[in-house]
Amino acid sequence: MRDAYHEELEALADRLVEMTRLVGSAISRASTALLDADLSLAESVIAADDAVDALRDDLDARALDLLARQQPVAGDLRVIVTSLRMTADLERMGDLARHVARVARRRYPESAVPAALRSTLVEMSQVAERLVAKAGSVIASQDVTAALELERDDDEMDRLHRHLYTALLHPASPYGVEAAIDITSVGRYYERFADHAVSVAGRVVYLVTGQRAEELVEPPA
Amino acid sequence: MRDAYHEELEALADRLVEMTRLVGSAISRASTALLDADLSLAESVIAADDAVDALRDDLDARALDLLARQQPVAGDLRVIVTSLRMTADLERMGDLARHVARVARRRYPESAVPAALRSTLVEMSQVAERLVAKAGSVIASQDVTAALELERDDDEMDRLHRHLYTALLHPASPYGVEAAIDITSVGRYYERFADHAVSVAGRVVYLVTGQRAEELVEPPA
């Protein structure tokens, strides 16, 4: 039987998973707002980021309270410190979803996404949603193998990100300065979103194995 | 007389200040590399970021060790948790300086900065250097008034950042897609660098007062 203290520790993980769901919903809706130039959806994503921040505040307060009251050691200490770090990643992912929504709002009623780059942005949004969903599963399952797989999705995100620049810089590129600004910004937001999801998964790896994710995977050739 | 434990706690602050110095040097040299299209300087900034990461690793290991061995409470606990958060900010600031240097390297032997935007970028680099120097002073002094002043420099950074977009998007803008990509990226790096410096100062405010910086300043009109 678990005591109240261990129940509180386990509740941290549940709330972290809940935070990944909020952030996943945010990036999904922000992407739709961007791709469909949907102003009201963009506004709703921007407004909803407060809930992510509130959940972060609540989680951090619980973690600090556990540190102060329970003076945890070893594994329990690592769970709490990891929670503090994951909330920072997830809060930032919420910000990045909001940034995507803001680009949609800024260009409304026009679309910030040129037609020829739409499919790349659709793929980036899908990879972002997949990454945050996997990060949530990994927090719940503590499955190290699954955690290490996020690197592969991140490689895919990097490839899509590079493709945006290649397309913008192509000699026959029809894009102007405004599109270059928007696409550079949005591309960066998705890429950073993915980095933070990988970071969350890496923290699970560290929590379970005591080793960094980098030490457990082959360096890229 | 301080015991070994309290000496270790104080050493955290010394090393955080040292970290701000490394990061300050990085952004200063990255800015020169960018403005002067200096490839070898850019390379040296990129290589030097490992030292920032190593200092972060060392500091975090010390903080976690103190948490595990000393089971600190109240003020001491806050010092340690704040250290863990500041290293994350400072490590990211190091990354952003490296990103600025990478843009310089990517465009070499050309300059990534169009002549007409040079003065704005010079100002942004000066504000960035000032912010990280002030963040270091504030960590050392724990001066809440000084900490709250960083917001003003950050407002200046935001103004300069907006100016870049205004210049890029001006109807008579002579800039092409490549300049738009570079300036959008670099502008974002400086702006994020400034945000993290403000965050470091805000953590000092929280450490000393238990209140968030936002609660101690008038909301903008």
Side-chain angles (χ1 to χ4, degrees):
Chain A
M1 220 181 74
R2 322 279 357 224
D3 54 23
Y5 163 50
H6 284 96
E7 275 172 18
E8 284 179 63
L9 270 184
E10 281 164 20
L12 288 181
D14 294 344
R15 283 175 169 258
L16 285 165
V17 173
E18 169 65 15
M19 213 171 153
T20 64
R21 283 208 199 98
L22 279 187
V23 168
S25 163
I27 196 67
S28 164
R29 293 182 310 129
S31 301
T32 303
L34 180 75
L35 291 161
D36 298 352
D38 184 332
L39 180 64
S40 67
L41 189 57
E43 296 282 9
S44 106
V45 173
I46 293 163
D49 192 48
D50 285 349
V52 176
D53 294 351
L55 193 46
R56 186 266 322 259
D57 290 344
D58 175 66
L59 255 161
D60 285 359
R62 285 164 185 260
L64 292 174
D65 184 60
L66 284 169
L67 276 181
R69 278 193 299 116
Q70 303 288 349
Q71 314 212 336
V73 290
D76 293 349
L77 177 59
R78 251 195 301 185
V79 168
I80 295 170
V81 171
T82 299
S83 174
L84 287 169
R85 292 184 152 157
M86 283 183 180
T87 58
D89 283 315
L90 290 165
E91 188 270 336
R92 188 72 202 139
M93 290 164 80
D95 285 348
L96 291 162
R98 194 186 55 193
H99 288 337
V100 169
R102 278 188 175 153
V103 173
R105 181 171 73 178
R106 191 165 66 212
R107 289 295 167 246
Y108 181 83
E110 291 180 45
S111 170
V113 181
L117 294 179
R118 187 183 165 86
S119 66
T120 306
L121 265 302
V122 167
E123 279 190 80
M124 290 177 90
S125 70
Q126 288 167 343
V127 175
E129 285 177 52
R130 195 157 68 226
L131 274 164
V132 66
K134 285 187 182 178
S137 301
V138 158
I139 293 169
S141 69
Q142 308 227 336
D143 180 335
V144 170
T145 309
L148 294 172
E149 279 174 19
L150 272 78
E151 293 280 359
R152 227 173 303 152
D153 292 293
D154 191 41
D155 291 343
E156 176 66 8
M157 183 66 95
D158 290 342
R159 188 188 66 74
L160 293 163
H161 190 209
R162 281 194 300 274
H163 176 73
L164 287 183
Y165 291 119
T166 310
L168 286 173
L169 289 168
H170 191 279
S173 157
Y175 310 113
V177 164
E178 188 171 271
I181 292 173
D182 287 347
I183 295 301
T184 300
S185 300
V186 164
R188 175 96 184 137
Y189 302 149
Y190 281 111
E191 188 249 328
R192 290 296 299 151
F193 187 96
D195 285 346
H196 283 287
V198 171
S199 165
V200 167
R203 297 187 196 286
V204 172
V205 172
Y206 183 71
L207 188 63
V208 175
T209 67
Q211 283 184 280
R212 295 215 181 155
E214 306 91 87
E215 294 164 9
L216 295 177
V217 288
E218 291 287 311
Chain B
M1 220 179 75
R2 322 281 354 227
D3 54 24
Y5 163 50
H6 284 96
E7 275 173 19
E8 285 180 62
L9 269 184
E10 281 164 21
L12 288 182
D14 294 343
R15 285 177 167 255
L16 285 165
V17 173
E18 169 65 15
M19 213 171 153
T20 64
R21 283 208 200 97
L22 280 186
V23 168
S25 163
I27 194 70
S28 164
R29 294 183 309 130
S31 301
T32 302
L34 180 76
L35 292 161
D36 298 352
D38 183 332
L39 181 63
S40 66
L41 190 57
E43 296 281 11
S44 106
V45 173
I46 293 164
D49 192 48
D50 285 350
V52 176
D53 294 352
L55 193 47
R56 185 266 320 261
D57 290 345
D58 175 66
L59 255 161
D60 284 0
R62 284 163 186 262
L64 292 174
D65 184 60
L66 283 168
L67 276 181
R69 278 193 300 116
Q70 303 289 350
Q71 313 212 336
V73 290
D76 293 349
L77 176 60
R78 251 196 300 186
V79 168
I80 296 170
V81 170
T82 299
S83 174
L84 287 170
R85 292 184 152 157
M86 284 183 178
T87 57
D89 283 314
L90 290 165
E91 187 269 334
R92 188 73 202 138
M93 290 164 80
D95 285 349
L96 291 161
R98 194 185 55 193
H99 287 337
V100 169
R102 279 188 174 151
V103 173
R105 181 171 73 177
R106 192 166 65 213
R107 288 295 166 246
Y108 180 85
E110 289 182 49
S111 169
V113 181
L117 294 179
R118 187 182 165 86
S119 66
T120 306
L121 266 302
V122 168
E123 279 190 79
M124 290 177 90
S125 70
Q126 288 166 344
V127 176
E129 286 177 51
R130 195 157 70 226
L131 274 165
V132 66
K134 285 187 182 178
S137 302
V138 158
I139 293 170
S141 69
Q142 307 227 335
D143 180 335
V144 170
T145 309
L148 294 172
E149 279 174 19
L150 271 78
E151 293 279 359
R152 228 174 302 151
D153 293 292
D154 190 42
D155 291 344
E156 176 66 8
M157 184 64 97
D158 290 342
R159 190 188 66 74
L160 293 163
H161 189 208
R162 281 193 301 273
H163 176 74
L164 287 183
Y165 292 120
T166 310
L168 286 173
L169 289 169
H170 191 278
S173 157
Y175 310 113
V177 164
E178 188 171 271
I181 292 174
D182 288 347
I183 295 300
T184 300
S185 300
V186 164
R188 175 97 185 137
Y189 301 150
Y190 281 112
E191 188 249 328
R192 291 296 300 150
F193 186 96
D195 284 347
H196 283 287
V198 171
S199 166
V200 167
R203 297 187 196 286
V204 172
V205 173
Y206 183 72
L207 188 62
V208 175
T209 68
Q211 283 186 280
R212 295 214 181 156
E214 307 91 88
E215 292 163 10
L216 295 177
V217 289
E218 290 288 310

